[in-house]
Amino acid sequence: MTRHDERFVRYLESKEAVDDRALHRPTLSTLVDELSDRAEARPGEPLRVVSVGAGTGSMCRRLLSWGVFDAYDDIKYIMIDRRSGMSDQASAAFAEWSHGAGWEASPTVDGFQIERHGRRVALTYVTGDLFDATVEIPQAIDLVVAHAVLDVLPLQRALDALVTRLTDGGLFYAPITFDGRTAFRPTHNADNEVLDAFHETMGDDNASGPETGSNLLSALPQADASIVSAGGSDWVVTPPYDDGERFFISRILQFVEESVSAHGGVGETTLRGWLDTRHKQLEAEELSYVAHNLDVLAKLD
């Protein structure tokens, strides 16, 4: 794994706690209720899940830890991520987590599985682009999890690839979906110029754009999936930081730098001045960061 990939893994790890407090709890509770109703209606059937942009599998571990899947004793969970080497990171993370949580982990032909008290979770990792990986996705999926990923995919194409795989009454859960606002405080006179340019980099043929969260509220019904719950899941990080939060904000600043530099629209002097100020404020524990996200849960009609 390259140094760049190692830093990305560290970013994923650093944002786990930020995600934990950001997730919209009423939408998560609705997901629990919907899954429980589904288990009662289809006793003995496994829960079949596909997670897009799965990274190290943090969302799967979170949903298991928080009891979201407690209505099921048999879960088949497919994780898809385009980054090579991420499957090894996920395997290591699950091995460490499962040991601490009392699950027994063992390898399988196409992944690994964890078991505890008669409950079994079969985990399969698929490395590749979502649209290339669809051949690996069964036609009958009960739940799609698209965690913090839809804004970097062409939305309609992604929904076409995923919603069509859902069973009748299947669920589409899109937590931490970016929705158009990034803010740093204290204010800086170049904020509008830099952050507007940053948002503009999100809207091309291969990405849904900065208002993906709001757009889901109409795009999912157009794909025959009714919204059953939605709510804000903002990332908010303020001083004092722990080491993970400090690294998380530093990576956000790097994402802004890389995106704006690559696409232009902001003078080098202006961008450099803004970044220098923000890094100094971060070092001095004076910088706050907010990103507006939405959690959306929909159900196939």
Side-chain angles (χ1 to χ4, degrees):
M1 179 171 285
T2 67
R3 180 173 176 78
H4 177 77
D5 289 335
E6 290 174 353
R7 287 178 62 82
F8 187 73
V9 169
R10 187 179 172 194
Y11 161 72
L12 294 179
E13 294 170 346
S14 73
K15 82 180 188 74
E16 286 188 29
V18 181
D19 283 348
D20 283 348
R21 61 177 181 253
L23 287 164
H24 187 246
R25 294 307 196 273
T27 295
L28 197 61
S29 294
T30 302
L31 175 60
V32 173
D33 293 341
E34 290 285 347
L35 290 175
S36 296
D37 290 346
R38 192 168 183 78
E40 289 182 11
R42 303 184 181 191
E45 288 191 14
L47 177 67
R48 295 154 297 191
V49 186
V50 167
S51 178
V52 185
T56 63
S58 62
M59 181 53 78
C60 179
R61 294 190 296 275
R62 179 183 288 112
L63 296 177
L64 287 168
S65 296
W66 290 5
V68 175
F69 296 149
D70 278 1
Y72 290 86
D73 290 330
D74 187 7
I75 301 166
K76 301 183 185 304
Y77 203 109
I78 298 173
M79 296 179 282
I80 301 173
D81 199 288
R82 63 181 178 82
R83 290 176 178 266
S84 62
M86 199 61 71
S87 60
D88 292 337
Q89 296 295 318
S91 296
F94 267 100
E96 180 179 356
W97 171 82
S98 61
H99 179 74
W103 293 80
E104 182 177 340
S106 58
T108 61
V109 173
D110 55 0
F112 55 100
Q113 69 177 22
I114 56 176
E115 295 183 80
R116 184 179 68 173
H117 307 317
R119 300 184 68 214
R120 180 175 65 254
V121 185
L123 299 145
T124 303
Y125 209 102
V126 178
T127 299
D129 177 88
L130 166 64
F131 307 110
D132 295 332
T134 51
V135 296
E136 304 284 346
I137 302 176
Q139 290 291 334
I141 294 298
D142 301 304
L143 171 65
V144 167
V145 178
H147 171 215
V149 70
L150 290 176
D151 59 306
V152 298
L153 295 171
L155 183 59
Q156 192 56 57
R157 190 180 174 201
L159 294 183
D160 289 345
L162 294 166
V163 174
T164 55
R165 293 297 202 279
L166 288 173
T167 58
D168 291 343
L171 299 163
F172 190 100
Y173 180 47
I176 317 291
T177 304
F178 185 63
D179 194 47
R181 181 172 182 264
T182 304
F184 292 91
R185 292 295 184 271
T187 59
H188 187 283
N189 58 15
D191 277 345
N192 289 342
E193 186 176 358
V194 172
L195 296 178
D196 285 351
F198 176 53
H199 293 159
E200 287 174 8
T201 68
M202 302 177 187
D204 59 28
D205 292 339
N206 295 312
S208 300
E211 296 182 352
T212 303
S214 294
N215 290 339
L216 272 177
L217 301 178
S218 57
L220 280 164
Q222 290 170 5
D224 297 324
S226 299
I227 306 298
V228 293
S229 185
S233 52
D234 294 354
W235 281 340
V236 181
V237 182
T238 59
Y241 326 114
D242 59 29
D243 290 342
E245 291 171 326
R246 182 179 291 103
F247 183 81
F248 174 76
I249 297 180
S250 72
R251 285 293 290 171
I252 297 296
L253 292 174
Q254 186 174 355
F255 293 150
V256 173
E257 179 180 7
E258 291 171 349
S259 299
V260 174
S261 296
H263 286 76
V266 176
E268 183 177 350
T269 300
T270 298
L271 178 59
R272 180 50 52 196
W274 185 87
L275 288 166
D276 287 346
T277 297
R278 292 316 192 189
H279 281 293
K280 289 176 182 176
Q281 291 168 335
L282 177 61
E283 184 64 27
E285 295 209 350
E286 298 171 350
L287 184 63
S288 295
Y289 166 69
V290 178
H292 179 50
N293 308 302
L294 288 183
D295 288 2
V296 180
L297 177 65
K299 185 176 183 178
L300 190 67
D301 296 333

